[in-house]
Amino acid sequence: MSFKKADLFPCNPATTRGESTRISSSKDKIAYTNGRTVIIRDLKAPSAVVSYAGHVQNATVAKISPTGYYCASGDASGTVKIWDLVGEDQTLKGEYKVVAGRIKDLDWDGESKRIIAVGEGRDKFGHAFMFDTGSSTGSIIGHSKTVNAVSIRHQRPYRAVTAGDDCTIVFHQGAPYKYEKTIKTHSKFIQDVRYAPSGDHFASVGMDMKIFLYDGKEGETVAEITDSPHTGSIMALSWSPDSTAFVTSSADRTVKLWDVETRKAVTTWNLGKAVEQQQVGNAWTEGGDIVSLSLSGDLNVFDKRAGDKPSRVLYGPSKAVTALTPTSSSGTFIAGLADGRVLSFDTDYKYAEGAGHKNLVSGATTLPDGKVATIGYDDLVREIDGVSFTQASCPTTSQPKSIAAAADSTLFVVEIGVVEAIRSNQKVHELKPKYTPSVVAAHGTTVAIGSDEQKVYLYEWDGKSLTETAVLEGNRGALSALAFSPDGSQLAAGDSSGKIALFDAKAKKFITSRWSFHSGRILSLAWTPDGKHCASGSLDTHVYVYSVAKPGNAIAIKNAHAGSVSSVFWVNDGKLASVGADGCFRTWEITFFA
Amino acid sequence: MSSGVSVSDDCITSYQELMKRKHKYVVYGLNPTFTEIVVLKTSQDADYELFIKEFPNDQCRWAVYDLEYEADDGGKRNKVVFVYWSPGQSSIKQRMVYSASNNALKARLGVALEIQGNDEEDLEFVNVLEKAKRNSR
Amino acid sequence: MVNYGGDEVSALVLDIGTSTIRAGYAGDDTPKAVIPTCYGYTEEQGDGDVSMEGSEEGAQLPKKKTTLYVGQNGPSVWRAGMHVAHPVQNSLITDFAPIPAIVSHAFKEVMRTDPSEHPVLVTEPAWNTTENRERMAEIMFEEFDVPAFYIANTGVLNAFAAGKGSALVIDVGQSTASVTPIVDGFVLRKGLSHSGLPQLIYAHAKHTLTTPQPGRPGIQLIPHQLIANRQTVDATFPPKFTLREDRVPGVTDSWRSWYEAREVDEWVQSVAGVLDQGWNDQAAAQRGPRHYEFPTGYNTYFGAERFNVGELYFSHTPQLVASNPNLPKTIPALISSALTACDPDIRQVLLGNIVLTGGGSMLSGFADRLSAELQRNVSHVKIHAPGNPSERRYGGWLGGSILASLGTFHQLWISKEEWKEHGKAIIGQRCK
C-alpha cells in the first residue's frame, strides 16, 4: 500500500485582537502563518498551495525572497528559518536565532542576500544578517521597545526603516546597516511601515489612526495624510505594484485605498459593524489583488475598481478544526472550529449561516436525511440543513463530548457521566451508566459507547431505550474514537494510548489489536466504503491506513498535520481526506495492495 | 512602565561616535521641561576623576563611558559602561522620572552593562572596574 | 483620542492595599483620601433592592437586602448586626463586588471629584493576576466611565521612586510582607516571594496581650465604641469602666475580630520593636519598657515582650516551627527565596539596591536589624529606607502620582476608545 499527497486546502491566517497580522506577497502569491504552519497560496491558482511546518514554536511571519527561490519565516522563539521554496523537500538553507522574543516582522533586501528581522527583546530589537551565513551586516539600534515592522529600500542608496511600540521610526543607512536618525511623527504604537516598490517613498501607520508619507531616500516627512481619516487603529499598509497608491486596513472595520499624488482616499471599503470585521492585515499582489484580513480570519479580496464590496472572500479555518462530518461521498463536509464557528466545504469554504455555537464545537454527525447535528461546549445540540443552522436547539445536561446518529435519526450524545438520546429536538431517553462514557458510534439500531475504563459497551436501541447486549474488551486506554464499518459488521475502537481494537460487531467478539502504530490518542476513525480498510488520525500528528485482511500492513502518513489530526474520512475508495489542529484540509491518494 | 519622554537623535549619534573613539564619555540628562533626553556634554578627557565630577549630588544624570583597563591576563580591554546616577539628595520627582526614562535611553543605545549609582561610592573606579570585569562575556 | 490641550486635566491615582485604599490627585505629595479597605455590611431578609450608605452607588449583591458601610464611617461606627468583610487579601482583590462602592466613596465623597472627567492610574501588586487587572480596567471604563486608564506595578513604582531601575523591593504591609526583585524596570516573576508574616506578628501580639502574663492578667481588647465611661487608673491596676450594654448584643463575630485586630495593630505600631542585632535577653531588658494605655483605661509598661513580637519578622524559634507547619516565611527567608531564583550576577546588584517600603517596615529597629542580618552573609548591602513616613507608607501611590502628572505620560494612557476597539487585550500590551 502507498500514498501520494493530493490536495491541500489551507487554513486562513491566525489573528489576535489588538495586534497586526503579517501577510506578505510575491507575484500572485500571499504568505502567512497559523500556529506552527507557514502557508503560501497563489490567488490566481488555488490549487497551488505550499505549507511549511518546520518551526518548533508558532510561526509569526513569512516572506518570499525577491528572486522567489527562498522563503524566510520567523517564529515566537526569535528564530528565523530560510528554506527552499522551489524544491519539494523545502531544504533548510539557514536557521538563526536573532532576537530574544517573538519575531514580529522581517524583510529581504533587493538582492535577496540580506535579511533584517525585528521583534521583542530586552536591549536588542532587531538584527541584520546575511541570509546564507547568518553573519551580521550592521546593527539595528535606536529602539527602546518591541519593533513591529521593518522595510528595506530595494534601490540605491540602500536604506531600511523600523518602527514599533516606542512610537518612533528609526531610519537606517544600509548596508551594513547603521543608525541614521529617529522619526517622531506618531503618538502611539506604530503597526506598519513600508517602502513603495519604487523606493521613492515609504509610509507608516499606527494606533494613533494616522498615516504619514516620507521621502524614501533621506527619510524626510513629506506629509501627514489627513483626508478622510480612519476612526480606529490602522494595523497594516501595502503599496500598489506601480507605487502610485497604497491600501490601509484598520480596526475601524474599513479598508481604504489612497492615491499618493493627491494624498486622498480614493475608495473606502466597509466590512461591517462587528468586532470580528476589524481589519488586521493586508497585502497587494503584483497581479493586482488587494487582500485584507478580518479578525475573524476571512481574507477579503478587492479589485481596486470595484468600490462597494470585496470581489471575493476566502473563508477557511483560522482556528483548530475540532469536529467534522462528511456530508456526501464526494468530499463535502461540515467542520466545527475551536471558537464555535462552523464551516461548510464544497469546492471551497463558506460559513454555515445563522447563529451557531458560542463555544468550541466538540462533535458533528450526519443524519440519515442529510442534515447535520452538531454539539458544542455551549452545552447545546444544534442542527444544520444544507449550509444554514435551523432553529432547532436542544440543551444538554452537561458538556457534550461525542455524538452519533442511529438509523431512526435519534441522536446519542455523550456528556459527563450520562448519555442522552435526543430526537426531534427533545430528550427521549437517558442512560446513566456505571462506567464513565467517553465516545459513541451508531449503526442501524446498534449503539456502541466507549468508556474511560477501556471497555466498549454495545446496546440495541428500540426507539425508546437502550439495552446492553455486550461488553467488548481489547483496548489499553480510555476510548476516544469509535467507527462501525459501512455494513455494520465490524467496529473499530481507538483509545488514548494509540491502540485500535477491531471487533466483530455482529458476533460481538474481539478480532485483533494489531492496529497499533499510533503513539498518541486516536481522534478519528474512518472505514473505506468497501469495509476492507480503516483510516485513523491521532494526536501524534500521523495518519495510518489499516487493512482488515492484513492487520500488520499499514500505510503511514507521518506528520500529516501539525498539532494533531482531528478528523479523517474517505472521499471515495481511493482518496482519503484529513483535517487537523493546523486548520488545513488535505487529501491523499491511496493505492491498496491487491 | 515608562515615562514617555523622547530621546534626541544626538544621544544616539554621540554614542556611535564614542564607539568610534571620538569621545571618552558622554553625559545625558533630561531637558528642563522633562520631555526629552538630551546630550549635556561630550568629552575626550581620560581623567576618571573629572568624569565623576560630572555628577551633581542633587541631580540625576546618565552617562556612557569608554572604560579602558588591563585584563587579568594582561592586554588592554575596552568596555562601554552605561551609568545611571540618582543621588539620595535629588528630589523624588527627579528620581521617579529619570528611573522611568532609563530604559528609553539604555535600550536605544543598546549598552548591556549598567552601573546604578546612588552615592559616590558606587562610582569609585575600583567598583566600576569590578563590575566591568565580572560582566565580560 | 484623549487630548488635554493646554489645560492639564489632573489624573487620579488609586492605590488599593489590604488595609487601606489611597486615592488622590496626580502631582500631589500625598493621597487626599486614605480610607479603610474593609467595609461593614448589614443584611436583612427581604427582596431585591440594595441601598448604599455613604455613597450614591448601588452595589449589586443578591437576594437579601444588604447595606454597605464604607470609608471612615464604615466599620468603625458600631451598628447592630454589622459584619465586616475584607475584599482584599494578600494585596489581591478577592471580591470585586464591593470595590466600585468603596472606590466611588473615595473619589466622590472624600475627594469630591468625578472620575469620569479624569484619567485614572491604578496600582497593582507584583503578583496580580491578568484577570484582576482586566477586571479593574473593566470597572474603571464601564462603571466609572473614565476617559483613560493605566495600571502600574507597585514594586516598580517604589523602585523608581528610590531612583533605581534595578532593586530588591521589600514591602511590609498589614497583611503581607513581600520581596520583589526588579531588573531594568521589570519584575522578575520567578523571584517574587511573599508571605503572610505580618499576620503572624499580629496573632502573636494578640496572644501576648490577651493571655495572662507574669505580672498582669489577660487584657481585654474592648474598643472605645463599646465603652460607656471609664475612670483613670494607675499603671498596672485593673481597669474601671462600664460597657455599652445596649451595644454588646449587636456585636457580630466579624466586627469583634475587626476591632480586636485594630487594637492589636495600634499597640504594635506604638510599642513593639525589633532588636537591631538579634535576640539577646540582656539587650531586650536594657532597651527599657514602653507605656501604653488601652481604651478600657488599663495601662501598663511593656518590656522585653514588645521585642518578642518584632523578632518574629526575622527569626522563628524551633518550637514555633515545630508547632506550625505552615508558618509564613521570615524576612530573611523571603529574601533568600527571591535571590535563589535570580541569576547569580543579578544577586549582588539587588542586595546593593534594597528598597524598604510599607507601613509595617516602620517598626522601631526594623531597618537596622535588616541591615545587620544581611551583612552577616553578604559584604555589600545597601538599604534605601525613606525616613519620611509618607514616602515609606505611600511609596507606590507617590510614584504613581509623579508618573501620572508627567506631560509625556499622556500618550501612554489607554483611552476609552482604545478599550472599546481592542478590548481586554490592550491592557497587557500597553501596561508593561
Side-chain angles (χ1 to χ4, degrees):
Chain A
M1 297 202 281
S2 63
F3 76 94
K4 212 173 67 160
K5 246 196 242 189
D7 309 306
L8 163 60
F9 295 90
C11 53
N12 273 25
T15 60
T16 307
R17 188 153 178 208
E19 277 185 34
S20 193
T21 298
R22 292 272 159 249
I23 308 179
S24 67
S25 71
S26 166
K27 304 266 183 332
D28 280 309
K29 304 195 187 71
I30 56 169
Y32 55 82
T33 64
N34 189 321
R36 300 200 325 252
T37 318
V38 174
I39 298 284
I40 299 176
R41 64 202 282 187
D42 190 315
L43 292 182
K44 298 253 187 313
S47 51
V49 186
V50 170
S51 78
Y52 176 76
H55 285 279
V56 171
Q57 288 209 31
N58 280 353
T60 50
V61 60
K63 249 183 212 169
I64 303 171
S65 66
T67 55
Y69 298 150
Y70 294 101
C71 180
S73 49
D75 67 22
S77 72
T79 307
V80 176
K81 283 187 192 261
I82 296 126
W83 42 280
D84 182 342
L85 188 54
V86 180
E88 279 260 333
D89 296 335
Q90 301 177 327
T91 324
L92 192 63
K93 177 82 178 170
E95 177 177 346
Y96 316 106
K97 183 152 153 73
V98 297
V99 287
R102 295 171 76 83
I103 304 252
K104 302 286 298 261
D105 197 11
L106 55 82
D107 203 9
W108 289 85
D109 74 343
E111 300 172 305
S112 295
K113 282 209 197 129
R114 298 170 192 82
I115 293 177
I116 301 181
V118 295
E120 294 173 357
R122 257 305 164 75
D123 41 33
K124 186 166 174 209
F125 303 93
H127 187 59
F129 58 99
M130 307 302 294
F131 92 107
D132 49 354
T133 60
S135 53
S136 64
T137 165
S139 59
I140 304 294
I141 63 168
H143 284 288
S144 62
K145 290 205 191 132
T146 303
V147 175
N148 297 323
V150 58
S151 185
I152 305 181
R153 186 175 197 250
H154 285 192
Q155 297 76 14
R156 283 179 204 278
Y158 295 128
R159 301 272 185 258
V161 280
T162 52
D165 286 355
D166 59 7
C167 312
T168 62
I169 299 171
V170 174
F171 188 75
H172 312 261
Q173 278 176 25
Y177 295 96
K178 191 174 103 123
Y179 170 90
E180 186 161 306
K181 64 176 175 177
T182 309
I183 303 172
K184 294 164 199 158
T185 41
H186 285 280
S187 54
K188 297 242 166 165
F189 292 6
I190 304 175
Q191 296 292 81
D192 208 352
V193 68
R194 284 299 127 214
Y195 259 100
S198 65
D200 290 340
H201 294 104
F202 63 91
S204 66
V205 291
M207 286 177 118
D208 57 1
M209 309 187 261
K210 298 193 182 176
I211 306 169
F212 289 93
L213 189 64
Y214 314 83
D215 164 62
K217 251 192 272 187
E218 303 307 329
E220 299 307 315
T221 308
V222 164
E224 179 186 338
I225 313 279
T226 50
D227 177 55
S228 176
H230 275 292
T231 54
S233 300
I234 310 176
M235 307 304 266
L237 176 147
S238 290
W239 287 86
S240 64
D242 64 6
S243 302
T244 60
F246 59 86
V247 282
T248 53
S249 293
S250 164
D252 68 2
R253 302 169 224 100
T254 67
V255 178
K256 286 184 190 270
L257 171 64
W258 305 88
D259 177 85
V260 175
E261 214 188 290
T262 62
R263 318 239 168 100
K264 286 206 180 348
V266 170
T267 315
T268 300
W269 288 285
N270 210 305
L271 275 304
K273 291 201 172 50
V275 166
E276 289 299 286
Q277 273 107 37
Q278 288 186 356
Q279 299 299 299
V280 297
N282 63 27
W284 194 328
T285 66
E286 279 165 52
D289 283 317
I290 297 170
V291 180
S292 181
L293 175 66
S294 299
L295 184 64
S296 62
D298 303 339
L299 285 162
N300 308 288
V301 184
F302 299 93
D303 180 319
K304 72 173 184 189
R305 294 155 301 180
D308 52 347
K309 56 184 168 58
S311 59
R312 57 194 168 121
V313 181
L314 302 173
Y315 298 103
S318 56
K319 296 252 171 8
V321 174
T322 47
L324 184 144
T325 186
T327 48
S328 73
S329 49
S330 48
T332 65
F333 60 86
I334 294 279
L337 304 183
D339 59 5
R341 286 181 294 170
V342 172
L343 290 159
S344 76
F345 182 86
D346 191 326
T347 44
D348 50 25
Y349 286 102
K350 277 192 200 30
Y351 280 109
E353 285 160 36
H357 287 282
K358 293 199 185 55
N359 210 329
L360 186 142
V361 182
S362 53
T365 191
T366 312
L367 290 150
D369 60 4
K371 295 209 185 78
V372 167
T374 57
I375 43 170
Y377 280 177
D378 52 1
D379 291 0
L380 288 174
V381 180
R382 300 299 311 278
E383 187 186 77
I384 300 172
D385 190 352
V387 290
S388 350
F389 275 96
T390 65
Q391 300 281 44
S393 162
C394 182
T396 57
T397 315
S398 60
Q399 201 178 66
K401 300 191 261 191
S402 177
I403 186 171
D408 66 350
S409 294
T410 308
L411 295 167
F412 293 92
V413 181
V414 170
E415 303 164 31
I416 302 175
V418 67
V419 180
E420 291 188 289
I422 295 167
R423 191 165 63 234
S424 304
N425 217 26
Q426 280 169 323
K427 176 152 114 172
V428 296
H429 179 67
E430 179 184 277
L431 177 74
K432 277 210 171 95
K434 340 166 230 48
Y435 55 86
T436 319
S438 53
V439 63
V440 64
H443 187 277
T445 54
T446 313
V447 176
I449 300 178
S451 71
D452 277 352
E453 294 83 10
Q454 306 176 9
K455 300 199 183 104
V456 179
Y457 295 80
L458 283 181
Y459 296 82
E460 274 303 303
W461 170 248
D462 63 4
K464 294 208 196 63
S465 63
L466 288 165
T467 318
E468 189 178 303
T469 55
V471 180
L472 302 170
E473 293 183 56
N475 288 97
R476 288 286 159 76
L479 271 298
S480 52
L482 285 172
F484 282 99
S485 58
D487 65 1
S489 61
Q490 298 170 99
L491 176 67
D495 64 43
S496 58
S497 73
K499 214 180 227 337
I500 302 168
L502 180 62
F503 300 100
D504 181 324
K506 295 280 190 274
K508 303 182 176 53
K509 267 187 359 202
F510 168 81
I511 301 178
T512 178
S513 60
R514 286 179 71 191
W515 288 359
S516 14
F517 290 100
H518 281 294
S519 55
R521 173 182 294 264
I522 308 295
L523 296 175
S524 173
L525 291 164
W527 288 88
T528 52
D530 63 9
K532 292 196 182 142
H533 294 89
C534 185
S536 61
S538 157
L539 194 59
D540 65 7
T541 75
H542 311 315
V543 170
Y544 280 94
V545 181
Y546 292 101
S547 152
V548 175
K550 299 204 171 96
N553 284 0
I555 301 178
I557 304 176
K558 292 275 176 89
N559 303 116
H561 295 272
S564 69
V565 181
S566 53
S567 194
V568 287
F569 62 99
W570 293 90
V571 178
N572 53 46
D573 255 334
K575 204 169 197 181
L576 176 65
S578 64
V579 177
D582 60 358
C584 292
F585 164 44
R586 294 174 207 270
T587 58
W588 319 87
E589 259 147 50
I590 311 289
T591 315
F592 299 105
F593 295 145
Chain B
M1 80 207 55
S2 43
S3 59
V5 301
S6 55
V7 175
S8 75
D9 287 1
D10 279 350
C11 295
I12 305 180
T13 47
S14 59
Y15 171 69
Q16 288 186 313
E17 285 163 8
L18 177 139
M19 294 297 272
K20 289 203 217 127
R21 302 288 162 78
K22 275 179 71 183
H23 308 298
K24 183 70 177 167
Y25 63 83
V26 183
V27 181
Y28 307 97
L30 282 169
N31 63 352
T33 50
F34 274 26
T35 53
E36 194 181 33
I37 301 178
V38 295
V39 173
L40 293 178
K41 181 171 177 179
T42 63
S43 169
Q44 295 243 343
D45 212 310
D47 185 352
Y48 192 77
E49 293 303 310
L50 233 55
F51 173 59
I52 301 189
K53 289 205 173 60
E54 302 287 358
F55 301 98
N57 61 3
D58 63 349
Q59 289 201 39
C60 299
R61 289 281 183 271
W62 294 286
V64 281
Y65 185 86
D66 184 8
L67 189 71
E68 199 171 272
Y69 64 98
E70 278 236 2
D72 294 328
D73 56 0
K76 272 218 203 124
R77 294 282 147 78
N78 278 80
K79 201 149 176 72
V80 177
V81 167
F82 178 88
V83 177
Y84 167 38
W85 168 251
S86 71
Q89 278 169 291
S90 55
S91 70
I92 189 172
K93 173 159 185 183
Q94 277 227 353
R95 294 201 295 266
M96 189 68 206
V97 187
Y98 269 80
S99 300
S101 311
N102 209 29
N103 251 1
L105 181 59
K106 192 168 83 133
R108 282 202 163 85
L109 302 183
V111 188
L113 176 58
E114 178 180 356
I115 304 286
Q116 212 167 241
N118 301 109
D119 57 34
E120 287 138 11
E121 194 197 3
D122 295 322
L123 295 183
E124 287 295 341
F125 190 77
V126 279
N127 291 330
V128 175
L129 177 61
E130 198 215 327
K131 288 211 174 83
K133 279 194 185 168
R134 233 190 313 134
N135 211 278
S136 292
R137 278 176 245 145
Chain C
M1 275 287 278
V2 189
N3 197 328
Y4 302 106
D7 275 344
E8 294 297 316
V9 175
S10 219
L12 303 178
V13 181
L14 183 67
D15 183 15
I16 300 181
T18 309
S19 69
T20 58
I21 287 182
R22 284 78 68 178
Y25 288 105
D28 281 0
D29 281 340
T30 48
K32 277 214 159 46
V34 178
I35 61 172
T37 307
C38 59
Y39 62 97
Y41 67 94
T42 54
E43 277 170 345
E44 283 152 39
Q45 286 304 328
D47 16 52
D49 226 16
V50 170
S51 72
M52 274 298 315
E53 256 212 30
S55 167
E56 299 128 16
E57 290 274 322
Q60 306 300 319
L61 291 165
K63 292 188 184 103
K64 306 192 193 103
K65 177 169 154 62
T66 309
T67 315
L68 302 195
Y69 306 96
V70 298
Q72 301 293 9
N73 293 327
S76 58
V77 173
W78 175 90
R79 295 179 184 88
M82 182 176 75
H83 304 272
V84 176
H86 304 263
V88 179
Q89 273 149 29
N90 289 326
S91 304
L92 283 183
I93 301 178
T94 49
D95 180 10
F96 271 93
I99 297 294
I102 302 171
V103 170
S104 178
H105 174 81
F107 284 151
K108 297 185 184 166
E109 267 103 62
V110 182
M111 287 178 66
R112 297 206 177 283
T113 186
D114 183 358
S116 70
E117 290 171 8
H118 302 265
V120 177
L121 181 132
V122 181
T123 66
E124 60 171 4
W127 53 95
N128 203 21
T129 60
T130 311
E131 279 136 19
N132 269 23
R133 188 174 302 133
E134 289 171 355
R135 188 70 196 276
M136 182 54 79
E138 196 173 36
I139 290 178
M140 285 298 149
F141 280 120
E142 313 292 339
E143 298 215 26
F144 289 103
D145 203 24
V146 299
F149 171 83
Y150 195 88
I151 190 157
N153 189 295
T154 336
V156 178
L157 287 171
N158 271 304
F160 282 179
K164 296 171 192 293
S166 300
L168 193 67
V169 177
I170 302 179
D171 191 335
V172 187
Q174 267 237 338
S175 76
T176 316
S178 66
V179 175
T180 308
I182 292 169
V183 178
D184 283 341
F186 289 99
V187 174
L188 222 57
R189 302 207 79 94
K190 54 183 180 173
L192 265 182
S193 299
H194 53 104
S195 81
L197 192 57
Q199 294 168 55
L200 176 70
I201 274 79
Y202 154 76
H204 189 95
K206 180 172 177 187
H207 181 84
T208 306
L209 292 175
T210 55
T211 53
Q213 304 289 335
R216 70 154 192 270
I219 302 172
Q220 296 161 295
L221 295 172
I222 300 176
H224 67 88
Q225 291 95 329
L226 293 181
I227 294 177
N229 56 55
R230 64 162 199 204
Q231 296 174 25
T232 318
V233 294
D234 286 339
T236 76
F237 275 62
K240 292 202 184 113
F241 64 93
T242 42
L243 274 178
R244 294 273 321 246
E245 296 293 347
D246 57 326
R247 287 189 167 180
V248 171
V251 171
T252 60
D253 286 341
S254 60
W255 195 70
R256 175 176 306 112
S257 299
W258 174 82
Y259 72 65
E260 288 183 344
R262 279 246 298 205
E263 296 304 327
V264 170
D265 192 54
E266 291 272 340
W267 179 84
V268 168
Q269 285 191 37
S270 314
V271 154
V274 178
L275 292 176
D276 53 5
Q277 291 297 327
W279 187 260
N280 180 317
D281 288 332
Q282 258 201 329
Q286 271 182 351
R287 290 288 291 274
R290 278 263 179 94
H291 177 260
Y292 187 80
E293 177 172 330
F294 291 90
T296 55
Y298 179 76
N299 63 98
T300 185
Y301 292 88
F302 294 92
E305 59 194 327
R306 63 192 183 95
F307 295 106
N308 269 326
V309 166
E311 185 65 23
L312 289 169
Y313 273 115
F314 293 93
S315 73
H316 296 159
T317 61
Q319 297 97 308
L320 186 62
V321 175
S323 69
N324 190 336
N326 293 324
L327 216 54
K329 287 193 175 148
T330 59
I331 300 282
L334 285 174
I335 295 176
S336 211
S337 291
L339 292 177
T340 322
C342 300
D343 291 337
D345 13 306
I346 287 295
R347 288 177 206 160
Q348 283 211 312
V349 175
L350 293 176
L351 283 166
N353 288 286
I354 296 177
V355 176
L356 194 58
T357 183
S361 71
M362 296 189 58
L363 200 65
S364 156
F366 192 99
D368 291 331
R369 175 62 178 276
L370 180 63
S371 189
E373 287 282 334
L374 292 172
Q375 279 174 348
R376 244 179 261 167
N377 299 326
V378 182
S379 52
H380 184 68
V381 169
K382 249 203 291 173
I383 303 178
H384 171 98
N388 179 329
S390 185
E391 256 185 64
R392 187 83 76 91
R393 270 181 216 282
Y394 309 133
W397 186 90
L398 197 48
S401 165
I402 296 171
L403 202 64
S405 64
L406 287 179
T408 49
F409 191 75
H410 280 165
Q411 50 177 300
L412 298 174
W413 292 105
I414 298 168
S415 69
K416 198 169 16 167
E417 290 76 25
E418 292 176 299
W419 166 259
K420 284 211 185 84
E421 187 181 86
H422 297 292
K424 298 183 190 160
I426 198 163
I427 308 294
Q429 273 180 23
R430 295 278 282 274
C431 303
K432 275 205 259 229

